[in-house]
Each structure stands twice: as C-alpha cells, then as structure tokens.
Amino acid sequence: MGRRATSRIIAAMASIMVAACGCSGLTGPSPSRPGESSGATPGAATTVPATLGTPTRAPETPVPGFEDWQVLNPQGVRISVDSAGLVLTLIGPLTWFNEDRGVLFYRNVTGDFRATATVQTWKASDPSAAPGQDGTVQLAGLMARSEIPVENYVFIVSGSIGMSTGLETKTTTSSRSIYVQRGLPTGGDAELRLCRTGPTFELSWRHVDSTERWTLMSTFERRAMPQTLQVGASIYTDSVPDIVARFEKLKIEPLALGKPC
C-alpha cells in the first residue's frame, strides 16, 4: 500500500474516532506534528472579528492550530487535524452554486493576500479511490467570499468534476455563478493558489510535489468585492456526499501593496 493511500486511511479512521466519541464536528482528534503548524502562518493575515448577529457565521472553532477560524454550515462537515494537515469530511449534501452555500472553513482577511495549499481528495467510502468520477461533483479547495448583501465569491477546487477528476474555478456575483472546468488525471490532488491584488483575483494550480511553474487557470475582476473577505478551505458536492479533503501546508499570507502574486 502506498504512502498516500495509507495516510488517507489514517485520516478516515480519525474521522470515525471523532464520530464514535461524540465529539463536535469542529474539533480535531489529534494535534499537528510537533514543530509544524497546520494553520495559516501566525501573523500572516489580518483578522477581523466576525459581525455580531450574522446568522451564518459560527463562533471561533477549537480545531488545533486554527483557533481563530470559523465555519459556515458546520452541520455538514467534520473537521479534524492529522499529522499532515487539515482534514474536511463532507457529511451533508451542500453545494456552492448561485445562492446555495456549501462548507467554508475560514478566517477574515483584509487587503491583498496569497492563499496556498496542497489539496488531496478521496472517497469517504473508499480512501484508496479518488472521489466521484460517477457523474457527481465532489470538490474541495480555496475560496474567498463575501456574504453581504448576497453571495459573492471566487474559488479554485480539485476533485471530481463529473466523469473524471479535475479542477474547477468559479466566480459568483450577486448569487449568479459562472464556472470553468478542466479535466486532469491527477487523482483529485493538486497544489492550489488563490491571490488577490486589488480588484483582481488570480486562481492557479500545479501538480503535487512538483517544482513546476504555477499554471494560471482563471483571472476574475471583482471591483465590488469588499476589503475584508472570508478566506479558507471549502468543500461541497451536488449529490450524496462522498469526499474527504486534506489541506497540507495551508497558508494565507499578506501581499504588499502592488506586489504581484
């Protein structure tokens, strides 16, 4: 059994342990590897307190390494941390499209930023297999979002785009979504990057564990986006959920004014 398949099975067992012990879906069953940080680099992003009274925003979570993060639609996900990174297991039929909301585990970020992560996805029902490829969408990745006054966001995700694995980028303006898909034989894994420089959002990818240059997949101009956004890890499906995603080396870093991604 390969290293990646073994780590997927360990992550699946950790999620089962969380459910069995009756722990909250927001609590990681195990700490990060000693000496490593699974969350965003401390001080790497400006956090802004959540607006009080907003019904879709949850309290800060007790996930190790992500204490100042929050989750949208917590009933639809199990969140844990293993030795490699953050793990999201989708347990509710939630999707990101138009006004529909999937799961987003995020922190509030003000100004220009660069978000990166190595995203690995697999079936919850079979950790040795890539998600979907059966006509369903089962995807996870990086997202930047504002919910005021309605759904406005951009994201880049990896996983199942229907009958194959691949990538998807999406821009949603006033709850109207436009997406682009690209089939890739990556097994649902990819290194993802989402950058904001002023009104411009660049969404890029590259193969896992490679030294290749980033491939720009989409650029979205979003001049009406507010300065402060919810930035983090998203996961969703258009069917019965059967996806687990691990976010390794998840970082959100500030970009100096005028600095390119």
Side-chain angles (χ1 to χ4, degrees), residues 154-168:
V154 298
F155 66 55
I156 181 167
V157 288
S158 181
S160 171
I161 58 173
M163 299 305 296
S164 69
T165 59
L167 302 171
E168 178 178 294

Side-chain angles (χ1 to χ4, degrees), residues 8-217:
R8 290 176 173 181
I9 292 172
I10 292 172
M13 291 175 64
S15 294
I16 293 171
M17 288 172 65
V18 172
C21 74
C23 302
S24 166
L26 300 178
T27 305
S30 60
S32 304
R33 181 183 300 165
E36 293 186 355
S37 173
S38 298
T41 303
T46 301
T47 58
V48 177
T51 302
L52 295 178
T54 304
T56 56
R57 295 185 181 182
E60 293 181 352
T61 70
V63 179
F66 297 85
E67 287 80 4
D68 62 339
W69 288 52
Q70 303 172 67
V71 60
L72 178 69
N73 281 331
Q75 77 285 356
V77 66
R78 290 196 193 102
I79 303 176
S80 60
V81 177
D82 66 12
S83 62
L86 175 73
V87 179
L88 303 184
T89 302
L90 191 64
I91 58 175
L94 300 170
T95 193
W96 285 111
F97 190 72
N98 291 339
E99 71 279 0
D100 293 333
R101 296 170 175 173
V103 170
L104 177 61
F105 184 56
Y106 70 92
R107 67 189 305 182
N108 292 307
V109 177
T110 299
D112 295 349
F113 65 86
R114 179 196 300 116
T116 55
T118 297
V119 180
Q120 298 178 331
T121 60
W122 61 88
K123 287 185 177 181
S125 61
D126 181 1
S128 66
Q133 303 176 86
D134 53 3
T136 67
V137 170
Q138 311 269 351
L139 292 163
L142 300 174
M143 183 176 197
R145 170 184 182 261
S146 171
E147 62 180 335
I148 302 173
V150 288
E151 287 301 314
N152 285 279
Y153 58 79
V154 298
F155 66 55
I156 181 167
V157 288
S158 181
S160 171
I161 58 173
M163 299 305 296
S164 69
T165 59
L167 302 171
E168 178 178 294
T169 60
K170 184 177 290 180
T171 179
T172 296
T173 305
S174 298
S175 295
R176 295 294 178 266
S177 297
I178 299 174
Y179 63 89
V180 177
Q181 291 183 336
R182 176 174 181 176
L184 289 170
T186 60
D189 301 345
E191 291 187 24
L192 304 179
R193 186 177 74 178
L194 192 165
C195 293
R196 179 185 194 172
T197 52
T200 304
F201 291 82
E202 296 181 359
L203 295 85
S204 307
W205 73 278
R206 65 185 179 189
H207 291 94
V208 174
D209 296 329
S210 74
T211 58
E212 65 192 20
R213 292 178 179 271
W214 289 95
T215 297
L216 180 64
M217 185 166 169

